Amino acid sequence: MKTAVLAALATLILAAPAAALEPIKGSLNYNADQTALNKTPVGSVTFNEFHNGGNRYREVYVVDTDRRLKIVNRSVVDNS
């Protein structure tokens, strides 16, 4: 039972969100025709921090199966 609950939880966490995050100005893939990251393993994680509209953002990217960066998380960083 415990295994089934953990498997279900993992599926919910890893499943693609219904509304994917769209790039904003400052995102690595904003307004860009991305080239494939051929030498980077699928599933690799990278981070990006930038300022936009007076806020500081931190984004987490994963290399998707098509070898392009996919935003999986964006958060506003406290400037204080």
Side-chain angles (χ1 to χ4, degrees), residues 2 8 10 20 24 27 37 40 50 62 64 67 71 74 78 80:
K2 207 184 254 190
I24 61 175
S27 296
L37 303 170
T40 308
F50 61 93
V62 171
D64 210 352
R67 302 282 182 168
I71 304 171
R74 177 184 297 132
D78 187 12
S80 56

Side-chain angles (χ1 to χ4, degrees), residues 53-73:
N55 293 319
R56 188 168 141 218
Y57 293 93
R58 178 177 295 137
E59 292 179 330
V60 180
Y61 295 83
V62 171
V63 177
D64 210 352
T65 55
D66 65 355
R67 302 282 182 168
R68 299 183 194 286
L69 291 175
K70 176 182 177 183
I71 304 171
V72 294
N73 187 342

Side-chain angles (χ1 to χ4, degrees), residues 8-70:
L9 183 60
T11 301
L12 288 174
I13 291 171
L14 297 175
L21 289 171
E22 294 295 324
I24 61 175
K25 189 174 182 181
S27 296
L28 294 176
N29 52 2
Y30 175 75
N31 217 12
D33 184 22
Q34 284 190 35
T35 57
L37 303 170
N38 294 324
K39 294 185 178 182
T40 308
V42 172
S44 297
V45 177
T46 189
F47 304 90
N48 181 36
E49 288 192 21
F50 61 93
H51 288 88
N52 181 358
N55 293 319
R56 188 168 141 218
Y57 293 93
R58 178 177 295 137
E59 292 179 330
V60 180
Y61 295 83
V62 171
V63 177
D64 210 352
T65 55
D66 65 355
R67 302 282 182 168
R68 299 183 194 286
L69 291 175
K70 176 182 177 183

